[in-house]
């Protein structure tokens, strides 16, 4: 993947950082930082095609999104009636 000139900062003002990594150390570092700062965090495991030559071969990546508000990183849970 090409280097992001913005350093991963998102255009959405409520979503402060987006990181795509294959390193679990990076994910852990962001999780610890979010816990210390009280920010929201969303972590997903995604599969991205390896390249144009073989679009059916995928690599696993971690998608880490950091939010200013600690509640924005959580999934919405509907109220049960």
């Amino acid at each position: 993947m090409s280097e992001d000139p913005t350093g991963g900062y998102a255009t959405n003002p409520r979503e402060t950082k987006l990181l795509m990594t294959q390193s679990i150390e990076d994910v852990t570092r962001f999780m610890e930082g979010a816990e210390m700062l009280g920010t929201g965090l969303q972590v997903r495991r995604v599969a991205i095609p390896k390249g144009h030559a073989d679009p059916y071969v995928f690599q696993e990546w971690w998608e880490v999104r950091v939010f200013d508000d600690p509640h924005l990183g959580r999934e919405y849970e509907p109220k049960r009636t």
Side-chain angles (χ1 to χ4, degrees):
M1 295 186 85
S2 63
E3 189 65 31
D4 182 2
T6 66
Y9 285 95
T11 55
N12 180 349
R14 299 175 83 184
E15 180 185 321
T16 57
K17 187 90 170 157
L18 169 63
L19 172 75
M20 295 293 288
T21 183
Q22 289 183 301
S23 169
I24 193 65
E25 288 85 15
D26 290 339
V27 175
T28 304
R29 184 170 46 91
F30 273 87
M31 289 175 77
E32 291 171 349
E35 186 176 352
M36 285 180 10
L37 297 172
T39 58
L41 184 74
Q42 196 174 65
V43 179
R44 293 183 182 143
R45 205 165 186 186
V46 296
I48 298 176
K50 198 168 184 177
H52 297 291
D54 197 356
Y56 301 107
V57 176
F58 292 87
Q59 289 181 322
E60 291 183 350
W61 288 78
W62 293 98
E63 177 188 84
V64 181
R65 293 179 188 270
V66 181
F67 299 88
D68 283 335
D69 184 345
H71 302 291
L72 293 176
R74 298 185 185 145
E75 287 189 31
Y76 171 72
E77 294 179 20
K79 293 182 181 179
R80 296 188 177 146
T81 56

